[in-house]
Amino acid sequence: MKLAYWMYAGPAHIGTLRVASSFKNVHAIMHAPLGDDYFNVMRSMLERERDFTPVTASIVDRHVLARGSQEKVVDNITRKDKEERPDLIVLTPTCTSSILQEDLQNFVDRASITSNSDVILADVNHYRVNELQAADRTLEQVVRYYLEKARRQGTLDQSITKEPSANIIGIFTLGFHNQHDCRELKRLLQDLNIKINKVIPEGGSVKDLQDLPKAWFNLVPYREIGLMTAIYLEKKFGMPYISITPMGIVDTAECIRQIEKHVNNLVPNKKINYEPYIDQQTRFVSQAAWFSRSIDCQNLTGKKAVVFGDATHAASITRILAREMGIRVSCTGTYCKHDAEWFKEQVQGFCDEILITDDHTKVGDMIARIEPSAIFGTQMERHIGKRLDIPCGVISSPVHIQNFPLGYRPFLGYEGTNQIADLVYNSFTLGMEDHLLEIFGGHDTKEVITKSLSTDTDLTWNHESQLELNKIPGFVRGKIKRNTEKFARQNNITNITVEIMYAAKEALSA
Amino acid sequence: MSNKISEILTFECETGNYHTFCPISCVAWLYQKIEDSFFLVVGTKTCGYFLQNALGVMIFAEPRYAMAELEEGDISAQLNDYEELKRLCLQIKKDRNPSVIIWIGTCTTEIIKMDLEGMAPKLENEIGIPIVVARANGLDYASTQGEDTVLAAMAHRCPEQILLSEKKKVIQDSNIQNFFSFLSLEKKETTNKNKNFEELKKNPPLVLFGSLPSTVASQLSSELKRQSVQVSGWLPAQRYTDLPSLGDQVYVCGINPFLSRTATTLMRRRKCKLIGAPFPIGPDGTRAWIEKICSVFGIKTEGLEKREEQIWENLKDYLDLVRGKSVFFMGDNLLEISLARFLIRCGMIVYEIGIPYLDKRYQAAELLFLQNTCKKMSIPMPRIVEKPDNYNQIQRMRELKPDLAITGMAHANPLEARGINTKWSVEFTFAQIHGFTNARDVLELVTRPLRRNNNLENLGWSNLTKKETKNKI
């Protein structure tokens, strides 16, 4: 048992439902007790979905507990088949149903005899994988199911398209800025004269999955979902895939170079060269490269930042901050513990320390200790920032409704670099403004705040020293306070006077 | 699936495929109500994820609730439940030092048959903090019924009302009935003896049950006081240590329609006398509630009629908005019967009252009141659908085209996109809706989509779905 107040990644079935409801005309039936259909609320509220979320529950109640589901699940599947006529019904186990150990596969087999829809059982272990891993797994399962079906029926056409083409794998519902990223990726590929073969799962139809092998290569923009599918397609059909996230100028260029390589592999006679495109975009279309040179960004040099999020976003943002903006990343971390090795490798050399945890209190304590000028994290870090008075830019799930903006806000591609530059700059300016206010005798009447999440300290500050502390500009005040207290503790002093403050400053050269 | 509206109350029961909150959501308001409590939800990631998302920003305010998240080792019994819970509870004791820890049992603890009720007394002795067990799981209950399970469990912890000759001696907490506190209590009682005695002569002890924000609770108490009815306690009180005394001389009355289990426990286990009244929602409900309590105590009410009239008078602007409009309750929080009755009295037409579970005995007075209200307003009786089926309901709504659907958040946006106004039902659980004072708040909620529409009406955007998907509703 674990005492938990908050979690970064949801339970496995959420991942399965996200994939299922991203496809067009796919219905998911959860084998779950009443109240577990909370996914529908999230999708309807966060994504502001106009359509009913294609997820229903086959309710597990006391009767089911006593005598098993019997006909219930099969009836619910066939009923949904008649009502909605979906192409595919995904029976989704939940944590509750997985300990009931009913033979759900048997229900699926029985239901698929009578229903016109295809029926599959999502194959995820609730106690071993989280939301993201389950999503990855389910997408692969659906793709595999339809490709194998096509192969059996002899409808699988393995020839590739005449023109270079690509599949985009891993765009799905409730993903962080996924819709905008998808539009940006399509634009990028269009610029490169590459046709979009299929985008899955968002808006895709399972009937079209058999056309996946027609593309020249697969593009997997996010680390968390789509990789398993891409690896499966590579193994089965020899399709190459690109898993470099085109986030930030350097990585976008790198991603395009990979595309160039794969395209050129397939057309040996006429070589394609994307370098002029990269150069043009980098220097003139994206404003981010210019921004890095501008004096605005100069002011950010060496400022401390902390990054935390899913593996994809945290790694990319860390590299952008360090490599493209000259910001010092004091600590970077991810809650994707299952992908820790990859993450460490990605951020090696771009940060001072790495934190792999899914415990938000550890993240909070880390931030309190480091006292960065800005945080780039999830909604949780935003709240930590609020309490510590540190600005925060949200760069990764889990997120609230305000992170599903109506306006166009991609994180990927060249427009993405502009958006990220704005986000970073705005987070820091808030901090700068604050400090300018202080320097020019702002209107600060606040009491001193302790830059720590836990209430500690047995030290008392006398009146004069408090006044003196208040005179110190806010952006270094916390540090001075901490250093003074550290000095006081080392010397067994409990009452802090102005003299002690000066002594501490001298001793620690703070 | 006929949409004919009949003359008598009809009860139907559908498949139970409906959307509602998990009953563990009750910790959201109960931990705020009971200030010295700590709620420990013994369940899985799924429960935690629900709470975290349903409670939104509350999660960041260092709440006094947490998950005891079960891991694979707990499910397969490789770990010892008792030792694990002891470890977590000791940590809670160290960090928060609450007066009571409430374990919320979930579906998972039911299925693996974790003996929470058996472990609680043992652990309670060991760590010195009362542990109350409530099985608020989705296998048995829906949304607000979670509160019912917690209050029913707490009813067992209320101290016993002891009668000594004519004088009543109140022992605040059986845990602290040592000799000295007993003495001081007795002393205090003798000094106030005459005054207390006078009051007690007026009405026997009355305990109200149901969790309300403290302002609403004191509003209701003072409404009763105007009729010289003294409320001797609330279940739950603001603090666990202030739970009211119960016994066979104590009258109890519910303030919410979803507390049938608590009512049963109070009657059968604590031998209290239950006053079956309509619930104090809306000015009509509040008046009927007070009248019923007074009639049980043989008190003649004073000025109630005038007070009710005055409230209706104040609601006039809102009543003009709702009159003649139709409502469809999809049903997910058990407040539906009372709300429908109030809205009918406001002049609305109710097509359907969906409700997760209907205890016809506990809600008897409310049902009768609903029937009378319909007659009085000459409006056809709505159909009452227990354990509704959301899919069928949406089909019915498509035919009936109600002016307002009161529904869960899962359906609200899709219905709005199809031109049906909606109000989230969950807001009625969180808003202050009880008593005369808060009648306006109920209508504020109900009229919000209607008022919004008055602003947007002529823009021609009410249906925002594409043709192909439209036929699905």
Side-chain angles (χ1 to χ4, degrees), chain B residues 109-139:
Chain B
T109 58
E110 288 297 309
I111 295 172
I112 64 174
K113 300 202 163 49
M114 193 183 277
D115 183 20
L116 294 177
E117 277 95 344
M119 285 187 280
K122 248 171 84 187
L123 193 56
E124 185 172 316
N125 275 334
E126 213 172 327
I127 69 170
I129 293 180
I131 295 174
V132 173
V133 181
R135 301 177 173 198
N137 61 68
L139 294 167

Side-chain angles (χ1 to χ4, degrees), chain B residues 235-261:
Chain B
L235 175 66
Q238 203 67 20
R239 300 182 64 81
Y240 175 76
T241 44
D242 296 341
L243 282 178
S245 332
L246 299 174
D248 57 3
Q249 299 298 309
V250 177
Y251 283 81
V252 292
C253 187
I255 50 102
N256 267 325
F258 45 78
L259 298 172
S260 56
R261 222 180 136 80

